[in-house]
Amino acid sequence: QVQLVESGGASVQPGESLRLSCAGSGFYFSSYWIYWVRQAPGKGLEWVSGIHSLGRGKVYADSVKGRFTVSLKGRFRASRDDANNMVYLDMTDLQPEDSGRYFCATDKSGLNRGPGTQVTVST
């Protein structure tokens, strides 16, 4: 059974940074793309970023390009930590419009996702 658990959400001020983590279990982690999706209050799911197994590909929504970095190890632009089934999303220059619940998922639409972690950006 696919299980995903997100962590790292917090309340921050505009311009600050956060790192989100996603832990996967119950499936062959390295065979999947892992995506980050978010949901602002009252809105639908929005795809944010994704990383290919073994870190061979990364994709970003236009709204976060240049500010968010998805990785597998706990460092910017490092390769995927399949041995520990972890994916990270490093977010910089956070803005109020980045607020929402962030989920990691095995599909871009977020249908198969974890419970999420809350990110709130406000003054």
Side-chain angles (χ1 to χ4, degrees):
Q1 181 180 356
V2 173
Q3 288 191 324
L4 297 162
V5 179
E6 305 87 347
S7 61
S11 294
V12 297
Q13 295 188 341
E16 294 188 334
S17 300
L18 272 179
R19 170 175 292 165
L20 304 183
S21 301
C22 170
S25 63
F27 64 105
Y28 192 54
F29 194 74
S30 61
S31 293
Y32 283 76
W33 275 82
I34 298 294
Y35 297 93
W36 286 96
V37 298
R38 66 187 180 186
Q39 187 169 29
K43 295 188 177 180
L45 289 170
E46 175 192 15
W47 167 73
V48 173
S49 181
I51 186 165
H52 185 267
S53 59
L54 305 178
R56 290 175 181 167
K58 299 177 184 180
V59 290
Y60 300 94
D62 288 343
S63 58
V64 304
K65 275 182 183 175
R67 299 188 298 124
F68 289 13
T69 301
V70 62
S71 66
L72 302 178
K73 287 191 183 289
R75 294 179 56 196
F76 273 113
R77 310 182 194 285
S79 296
R80 182 164 170 157
D81 187 5
D82 279 311
N84 292 308
N85 289 3
M86 296 293 296
V87 172
Y88 304 93
L89 183 67
D90 289 280
M91 307 184 294
T92 63
D93 191 26
L94 284 162
Q95 300 300 315
E97 55 265 33
D98 294 316
S99 295
R101 194 156 189 87
Y102 282 70
F103 306 88
C104 59
T106 56
D107 61 292
K108 199 173 182 179
S109 61
L111 290 176
N112 190 14
R113 63 185 186 269
T117 187
Q118 185 67 33
V119 173
T120 302
V121 186
S122 64
T123 57

